[in-house]
Amino acid sequence: RVLDAAMPWVCGLLGLAAGQRAFEAQRWDVDAPLDWQAWTAGGAAAAGLALEVLALHVVAGLARVFPATLRAWWAGLPQAHRAMGAAAEQFVVRHLAAPVAAAELARVRTPAGALARVLEEYDDAQVRASARQATITYTVDDTTLELAIRLPPAYPLAPAALDAVRRVAVPEARWRAWVVAAQAQMARNCRIDAVCARIVGNIGAHFAGVEDCAICYSAVAALDGSLPSKQCPTCKNAFHRACLYKWFRTSNQSSCPLCRNLF
């Protein structure tokens, strides 16, 4: 709702409404801090330009920190605002898509946090980044599984695509579950390196014989990276602790999600 109210104003400042001339964003560095006092000291003309630059920073910040939120706003524009949406897409592709993709893939290229930890745990895995995609490879014996997360030219307005370049020793149903889990992460504004970390963890757990959680269909929990540890005493299916407690809260019962016996 906040974006629905604010973004038409922001787009208007950037000249993205019908019949307007687009703001010359290439003249400004969106990584440079804004000196608001210096801008406003220059009078009304300078203050007006400051608002335009501020609008540029708002869109750039959304694209980098909340890409899925920006994408949802853009995709949900009513028909009456489609001209503004088309202008916004052209603006993002021209000025923001390349630096946003570069920043995402730089975190893959120099892994830290969850991605660094999972690569240390599963030394059969490698993650590398090129100009527009992150590629995950996992070698088992003499075979290599390979998949890619591709960032389209219109990213983040267009979602990243997850493709199986070489899928071996992984059932189709399990692969689809991993794809759904990765897409759900990206829909929550997760970084590409965090998505890579969960995929590597799922692959590693799969080849280590760990069963997926029967609720989220993933071996690695999205929140804390844990493995399924709560086992139903009747059907023996395992669940992540957080998934199971969420099931208890939302279903208002303490039965197993699968066999329906008391947990």
Side-chain angles (χ1 to χ4, degrees):
R1 293 181 179 180
V2 174
L3 284 188
D4 289 340
M7 284 302 290
W9 175 74
V10 171
C11 289
L13 286 172
L14 294 175
L16 304 181
Q20 287 186 304
R21 181 179 179 182
F23 177 65
E24 296 180 2
Q26 66 273 13
R27 295 171 52 196
W28 308 99
D29 181 3
V30 293
D31 293 319
L34 279 174
D35 187 348
W36 188 257
Q37 290 184 340
W39 281 103
T40 53
L49 180 59
L51 285 175
E52 294 172 335
V53 177
L54 178 61
L56 172 64
H57 279 251
V58 168
V59 177
L62 285 170
R64 291 181 176 182
V65 183
F66 301 107
T69 303
L70 180 63
R71 179 163 60 250
W73 165 80
W74 178 77
L77 281 173
Q79 188 64 34
H81 290 164
R82 292 316 298 172
M84 181 180 68
E89 180 181 15
Q90 293 176 1
F91 186 86
V92 169
V93 170
R94 182 179 179 185
H95 301 295
L96 298 176
V100 168
E104 287 279 12
L105 295 170
R107 283 185 286 269
V108 174
R109 201 170 286 112
T110 55
L115 182 55
R117 290 193 298 271
V118 78
L119 289 175
E120 183 177 354
E121 180 178 359
Y122 299 108
D123 55 7
D124 291 325
Q126 290 185 336
V127 181
R128 62 185 187 275
S130 58
R132 279 285 176 177
Q133 76 176 40
T135 303
I136 300 168
T137 57
Y138 199 102
T139 302
V140 181
D141 298 329
D142 294 329
T143 60
T144 299
L145 182 151
E146 182 176 342
L147 54 96
I149 302 177
R150 296 190 173 95
L151 304 184
Y155 182 85
L157 295 185
L162 185 58
D163 300 325
V165 180
R166 188 181 299 112
R167 182 175 62 84
V168 294
V170 177
E172 178 66 23
R174 179 162 288 194
W175 166 252
R176 286 198 303 268
W178 293 347
V179 170
V180 170
Q183 290 171 336
Q185 270 188 292
M186 289 185 282
R188 295 192 299 269
N189 294 307
C190 284
R191 304 286 195 186
I192 298 300
D193 60 324
V195 177
C196 289
R198 191 178 187 190
I199 292 172
V200 170
N202 278 325
I203 296 172
H206 167 70
F207 286 116
V210 178
E211 291 295 326
D212 291 341
C213 169
I215 295 176
C216 70
Y217 304 108
S218 177
V220 180
L223 293 178
D224 58 8
S226 63
L227 299 178
S229 60
K230 305 296 290 184
Q231 189 178 58
C232 172
T234 304
C235 68
K236 306 304 181 183
N237 282 289
F239 309 88
H240 295 123
R241 183 184 299 270
C243 292
L244 189 61
Y245 288 167
K246 182 178 180 180
W247 161 259
F248 289 159
R249 289 196 307 272
T250 56
S251 65
N252 294 317
Q253 53 186 313
S254 56
S255 61
C256 173
L258 296 184
C259 71
R260 303 296 180 173
N261 286 297
L262 288 177
F263 210 91

PDB file of all heavy atoms in Angstrom, residues 16 18 20 32-33 40 68 72 83 109 119 130-131 175-176 184 212 215 224 238 246 253-254 260:
ATOM      1  N   LEU A  16       8.519   9.645 -15.597  1.00  0.00           N
ATOM      2  CA  LEU A  16       8.065   8.371 -16.151  1.00  0.00           C
ATOM      3  C   LEU A  16       6.563   8.354 -16.406  1.00  0.00           C
ATOM      4  O   LEU A  16       6.014   7.308 -16.754  1.00  0.00           O
ATOM      5  CB  LEU A  16       8.449   7.222 -15.205  1.00  0.00           C
ATOM      6  CG  LEU A  16       9.941   7.121 -14.875  1.00  0.00           C
ATOM      7  CD1 LEU A  16      10.204   5.932 -13.965  1.00  0.00           C
ATOM      8  CD2 LEU A  16      10.775   7.024 -16.146  1.00  0.00           C
ATOM      9  N   ALA A  18       3.135   9.721 -18.511  1.00  0.00           N
ATOM     10  CA  ALA A  18       2.871   9.914 -19.943  1.00  0.00           C
ATOM     11  C   ALA A  18       3.229  11.337 -20.380  1.00  0.00           C
ATOM     12  O   ALA A  18       2.878  12.315 -19.721  1.00  0.00           O
ATOM     13  CB  ALA A  18       1.399   9.637 -20.245  1.00  0.00           C
ATOM     14  N   GLN A  20       6.107  12.832 -20.412  1.00  0.00           N
ATOM     15  CA  GLN A  20       7.225  13.469 -19.724  1.00  0.00           C
ATOM     16  C   GLN A  20       8.555  13.002 -20.303  1.00  0.00           C
ATOM     17  O   GLN A  20       8.652  11.929 -20.910  1.00  0.00           O
ATOM     18  CB  GLN A  20       7.196  13.157 -18.220  1.00  0.00           C
ATOM     19  CG  GLN A  20       6.108  13.882 -17.448  1.00  0.00           C
ATOM     20  CD  GLN A  20       6.228  13.636 -15.958  1.00  0.00           C
ATOM     21  OE1 GLN A  20       6.223  12.496 -15.510  1.00  0.00           O
ATOM     22  NE2 GLN A  20       6.336  14.714 -15.193  1.00  0.00           N
ATOM     23  N   ALA A  32      26.572   7.455  -4.200  1.00  0.00           N
ATOM     24  CA  ALA A  32      27.080   8.633  -3.488  1.00  0.00           C
ATOM     25  C   ALA A  32      26.007   9.166  -2.550  1.00  0.00           C
ATOM     26  O   ALA A  32      24.828   9.219  -2.907  1.00  0.00           O
ATOM     27  CB  ALA A  32      27.493   9.717  -4.484  1.00  0.00           C
ATOM     28  N   PRO A  33      26.385   9.565  -1.317  1.00  0.00           N
ATOM     29  CA  PRO A  33      25.381  10.086  -0.377  1.00  0.00           C
ATOM     30  C   PRO A  33      24.835  11.430  -0.838  1.00  0.00           C
ATOM     31  O   PRO A  33      25.519  12.207  -1.505  1.00  0.00           O
ATOM     32  CB  PRO A  33      26.165  10.217   0.935  1.00  0.00           C
ATOM     33  CG  PRO A  33      27.600  10.369   0.510  1.00  0.00           C
ATOM     34  CD  PRO A  33      27.738   9.539  -0.730  1.00  0.00           C
ATOM     35  N   THR A  40      19.509  22.166  -1.085  1.00  0.00           N
ATOM     36  CA  THR A  40      18.456  23.138  -0.808  1.00  0.00           C
ATOM     37  C   THR A  40      19.002  24.554  -0.714  1.00  0.00           C
ATOM     38  O   THR A  40      18.254  25.515  -0.892  1.00  0.00           O
ATOM     39  CB  THR A  40      17.731  22.784   0.500  1.00  0.00           C
ATOM     40  OG1 THR A  40      18.708  22.642   1.557  1.00  0.00           O
ATOM     41  CG2 THR A  40      16.966  21.478   0.356  1.00  0.00           C
ATOM     42  N   ALA A  68      11.968  -7.971  -4.842  1.00  0.00           N
ATOM     43  CA  ALA A  68      10.681  -8.633  -5.034  1.00  0.00           C
ATOM     44  C   ALA A  68       9.522  -7.684  -4.744  1.00  0.00           C
ATOM     45  O   ALA A  68       8.473  -7.757  -5.389  1.00  0.00           O
ATOM     46  CB  ALA A  68      10.578  -9.863  -4.137  1.00  0.00           C
ATOM     47  N   ALA A  72       6.698  -6.757  -7.393  1.00  0.00           N
ATOM     48  CA  ALA A  72       5.273  -6.968  -7.126  1.00  0.00           C
ATOM     49  C   ALA A  72       4.473  -5.698  -7.392  1.00  0.00           C
ATOM     50  O   ALA A  72       3.356  -5.757  -7.934  1.00  0.00           O
ATOM     51  CB  ALA A  72       5.078  -7.425  -5.681  1.00  0.00           C
ATOM     52  N   ALA A  83       1.219   2.606 -19.011  1.00  0.00           N
ATOM     53  CA  ALA A  83       2.209   3.436 -19.697  1.00  0.00           C
ATOM     54  C   ALA A  83       3.334   3.814 -18.737  1.00  0.00           C
ATOM     55  O   ALA A  83       4.516   3.784 -19.107  1.00  0.00           O
ATOM     56  CB  ALA A  83       1.546   4.687 -20.272  1.00  0.00           C
ATOM     57  N   ARG A 109      30.377 -14.097  -5.773  1.00  0.00           N
ATOM     58  CA  ARG A 109      31.780 -14.218  -6.170  1.00  0.00           C
ATOM     59  C   ARG A 109      32.711 -14.202  -4.954  1.00  0.00           C
ATOM     60  O   ARG A 109      33.769 -14.835  -4.966  1.00  0.00           O
ATOM     61  CB  ARG A 109      32.116 -13.075  -7.134  1.00  0.00           C
ATOM     62  CG  ARG A 109      33.327 -13.332  -8.016  1.00  0.00           C
ATOM     63  CD  ARG A 109      33.448 -12.272  -9.086  1.00  0.00           C
ATOM     64  NE  ARG A 109      32.458 -12.435 -10.145  1.00  0.00           N
ATOM     65  CZ  ARG A 109      31.446 -11.606 -10.368  1.00  0.00           C
ATOM     66  NH1 ARG A 109      31.277 -10.523  -9.615  1.00  0.00           N
ATOM     67  NH2 ARG A 109      30.593 -11.845 -11.361  1.00  0.00           N
ATOM     68  N   LEU A 119      29.540 -23.842   1.828  1.00  0.00           N
ATOM     69  CA  LEU A 119      30.607 -24.292   0.926  1.00  0.00           C
ATOM     70  C   LEU A 119      31.747 -24.943   1.700  1.00  0.00           C
ATOM     71  O   LEU A 119      32.411 -25.847   1.192  1.00  0.00           O
ATOM     72  CB  LEU A 119      31.120 -23.106   0.110  1.00  0.00           C
ATOM     73  CG  LEU A 119      30.173 -22.569  -0.971  1.00  0.00           C
ATOM     74  CD1 LEU A 119      30.757 -21.323  -1.623  1.00  0.00           C
ATOM     75  CD2 LEU A 119      29.887 -23.635  -2.020  1.00  0.00           C
ATOM     76  N   SER A 130      29.113 -15.178 -13.149  1.00  0.00           N
ATOM     77  CA  SER A 130      29.509 -14.481 -14.367  1.00  0.00           C
ATOM     78  C   SER A 130      28.738 -13.172 -14.425  1.00  0.00           C
ATOM     79  O   SER A 130      28.215 -12.704 -13.420  1.00  0.00           O
ATOM     80  CB  SER A 130      29.247 -15.353 -15.592  1.00  0.00           C
ATOM     81  OG  SER A 130      27.881 -15.700 -15.662  1.00  0.00           O
ATOM     82  N   ALA A 131      28.632 -12.581 -15.588  1.00  0.00           N
ATOM     83  CA  ALA A 131      28.004 -11.263 -15.697  1.00  0.00           C
ATOM     84  C   ALA A 131      26.532 -11.289 -15.320  1.00  0.00           C
ATOM     85  O   ALA A 131      26.026 -10.336 -14.721  1.00  0.00           O
ATOM     86  CB  ALA A 131      28.166 -10.731 -17.122  1.00  0.00           C
ATOM     87  N   TRP A 175      13.699 -32.090  -7.281  1.00  0.00           N
ATOM     88  CA  TRP A 175      14.222 -30.899  -7.966  1.00  0.00           C
ATOM     89  C   TRP A 175      13.158 -29.801  -8.013  1.00  0.00           C
ATOM     90  O   TRP A 175      13.445 -28.642  -7.743  1.00  0.00           O
ATOM     91  CB  TRP A 175      14.668 -31.272  -9.380  1.00  0.00           C
ATOM     92  CG  TRP A 175      14.888 -30.085 -10.253  1.00  0.00           C
ATOM     93  CD1 TRP A 175      14.113 -29.670 -11.291  1.00  0.00           C
ATOM     94  CD2 TRP A 175      15.929 -29.113 -10.134  1.00  0.00           C
ATOM     95  NE1 TRP A 175      14.615 -28.521 -11.835  1.00  0.00           N
ATOM     96  CE2 TRP A 175      15.722 -28.157 -11.142  1.00  0.00           C
ATOM     97  CE3 TRP A 175      17.022 -28.971  -9.275  1.00  0.00           C
ATOM     98  CZ2 TRP A 175      16.561 -27.065 -11.311  1.00  0.00           C
ATOM     99  CZ3 TRP A 175      17.855 -27.881  -9.439  1.00  0.00           C
ATOM    100  CH2 TRP A 175      17.627 -26.945 -10.456  1.00  0.00           C
ATOM    101  N   ARG A 176      11.917 -30.172  -8.317  1.00  0.00           N
ATOM    102  CA  ARG A 176      10.845 -29.176  -8.361  1.00  0.00           C
ATOM    103  C   ARG A 176      10.640 -28.542  -6.993  1.00  0.00           C
ATOM    104  O   ARG A 176      10.378 -27.343  -6.888  1.00  0.00           O
ATOM    105  CB  ARG A 176       9.537 -29.811  -8.843  1.00  0.00           C
ATOM    106  CG  ARG A 176       9.506 -30.120 -10.336  1.00  0.00           C
ATOM    107  CD  ARG A 176       8.073 -30.319 -10.818  1.00  0.00           C
ATOM    108  NE  ARG A 176       7.405 -31.385 -10.082  1.00  0.00           N
ATOM    109  CZ  ARG A 176       7.377 -32.654 -10.459  1.00  0.00           C
ATOM    110  NH1 ARG A 176       7.975 -33.017 -11.585  1.00  0.00           N
ATOM    111  NH2 ARG A 176       6.747 -33.561  -9.737  1.00  0.00           N
ATOM    112  N   ALA A 184      10.390 -19.125  -3.567  1.00  0.00           N
ATOM    113  CA  ALA A 184       9.766 -18.534  -2.382  1.00  0.00           C
ATOM    114  C   ALA A 184      10.757 -17.633  -1.649  1.00  0.00           C
ATOM    115  O   ALA A 184      10.387 -16.565  -1.152  1.00  0.00           O
ATOM    116  CB  ALA A 184       9.270 -19.646  -1.448  1.00  0.00           C
ATOM    117  N   ASP A 212      13.897 -34.735   3.006  1.00  0.00           N
ATOM    118  CA  ASP A 212      13.343 -33.389   3.069  1.00  0.00           C
ATOM    119  C   ASP A 212      12.292 -33.290   4.163  1.00  0.00           C
ATOM    120  O   ASP A 212      11.631 -34.279   4.503  1.00  0.00           O
ATOM    121  CB  ASP A 212      12.693 -33.016   1.734  1.00  0.00           C
ATOM    122  CG  ASP A 212      13.712 -32.834   0.621  1.00  0.00           C
ATOM    123  OD1 ASP A 212      14.894 -32.644   0.932  1.00  0.00           O
ATOM    124  OD2 ASP A 212      13.302 -32.882  -0.557  1.00  0.00           O
ATOM    125  N   ILE A 215       6.931 -30.764   5.293  1.00  0.00           N
ATOM    126  CA  ILE A 215       6.076 -29.578   5.248  1.00  0.00           C
ATOM    127  C   ILE A 215       6.561 -28.596   4.195  1.00  0.00           C
ATOM    128  O   ILE A 215       5.798 -28.161   3.328  1.00  0.00           O
ATOM    129  CB  ILE A 215       6.000 -28.895   6.628  1.00  0.00           C
ATOM    130  CG1 ILE A 215       5.307 -29.819   7.632  1.00  0.00           C
ATOM    131  CG2 ILE A 215       5.260 -27.553   6.543  1.00  0.00           C
ATOM    132  CD1 ILE A 215       5.267 -29.282   9.039  1.00  0.00           C
ATOM    133  N   ASP A 224      16.990 -20.780   9.558  1.00  0.00           N
ATOM    134  CA  ASP A 224      18.226 -20.992  10.318  1.00  0.00           C
ATOM    135  C   ASP A 224      19.168 -22.017   9.695  1.00  0.00           C
ATOM    136  O   ASP A 224      20.223 -22.322  10.267  1.00  0.00           O
ATOM    137  CB  ASP A 224      17.897 -21.409  11.756  1.00  0.00           C
ATOM    138  CG  ASP A 224      17.042 -22.669  11.831  1.00  0.00           C
ATOM    139  OD1 ASP A 224      16.823 -23.317  10.776  1.00  0.00           O
ATOM    140  OD2 ASP A 224      16.578 -23.016  12.924  1.00  0.00           O
ATOM    141  N   ALA A 238      10.165 -36.781   9.146  1.00  0.00           N
ATOM    142  CA  ALA A 238      10.860 -35.751   9.918  1.00  0.00           C
ATOM    143  C   ALA A 238      10.485 -34.361   9.413  1.00  0.00           C
ATOM    144  O   ALA A 238      10.180 -34.165   8.227  1.00  0.00           O
ATOM    145  CB  ALA A 238      12.370 -35.954   9.825  1.00  0.00           C
ATOM    146  N   LYS A 246       4.851 -24.075  13.261  1.00  0.00           N
ATOM    147  CA  LYS A 246       3.945 -23.259  12.450  1.00  0.00           C
ATOM    148  C   LYS A 246       2.703 -24.056  12.079  1.00  0.00           C
ATOM    149  O   LYS A 246       1.579 -23.522  12.090  1.00  0.00           O
ATOM    150  CB  LYS A 246       4.664 -22.768  11.193  1.00  0.00           C
ATOM    151  CG  LYS A 246       3.812 -21.864  10.322  1.00  0.00           C
ATOM    152  CD  LYS A 246       4.582 -21.362   9.110  1.00  0.00           C
ATOM    153  CE  LYS A 246       3.715 -20.465   8.240  1.00  0.00           C
ATOM    154  NZ  LYS A 246       4.464 -19.978   7.046  1.00  0.00           N
ATOM    155  N   GLN A 253      -4.036 -27.715  16.040  1.00  0.00           N
ATOM    156  CA  GLN A 253      -4.005 -29.093  16.505  1.00  0.00           C
ATOM    157  C   GLN A 253      -2.568 -29.547  16.636  1.00  0.00           C
ATOM    158  O   GLN A 253      -1.654 -28.922  16.104  1.00  0.00           O
ATOM    159  CB  GLN A 253      -4.775 -30.001  15.555  1.00  0.00           C
ATOM    160  CG  GLN A 253      -4.356 -29.904  14.097  1.00  0.00           C
ATOM    161  CD  GLN A 253      -5.257 -30.712  13.193  1.00  0.00           C
ATOM    162  OE1 GLN A 253      -5.566 -31.863  13.472  1.00  0.00           O
ATOM    163  NE2 GLN A 253      -5.701 -30.114  12.094  1.00  0.00           N
ATOM    164  N   SER A 254      -2.361 -30.626  17.366  1.00  0.00           N
ATOM    165  CA  SER A 254      -1.006 -31.127  17.601  1.00  0.00           C
ATOM    166  C   SER A 254      -0.811 -32.492  16.961  1.00  0.00           C
ATOM    167  O   SER A 254      -0.135 -33.360  17.513  1.00  0.00           O
ATOM    168  CB  SER A 254      -0.728 -31.216  19.111  1.00  0.00           C
ATOM    169  OG  SER A 254      -1.704 -32.030  19.745  1.00  0.00           O
ATOM    170  N   ARG A 260      -1.667 -37.731  10.710  1.00  0.00           N
ATOM    171  CA  ARG A 260      -2.731 -37.169  11.550  1.00  0.00           C
ATOM    172  C   ARG A 260      -2.798 -37.774  12.942  1.00  0.00           C
ATOM    173  O   ARG A 260      -3.754 -37.494  13.678  1.00  0.00           O
ATOM    174  CB  ARG A 260      -4.105 -37.301  10.872  1.00  0.00           C
ATOM    175  CG  ARG A 260      -4.165 -36.659   9.498  1.00  0.00           C
ATOM    176  CD  ARG A 260      -3.968 -35.161   9.561  1.00  0.00           C
ATOM    177  NE  ARG A 260      -4.030 -34.539   8.246  1.00  0.00           N
ATOM    178  CZ  ARG A 260      -4.021 -33.251   8.006  1.00  0.00           C
ATOM    179  NH1 ARG A 260      -3.934 -32.409   9.021  1.00  0.00           N
ATOM    180  NH2 ARG A 260      -4.070 -32.768   6.783  1.00  0.00           N
TER     181      ARG A 260
END
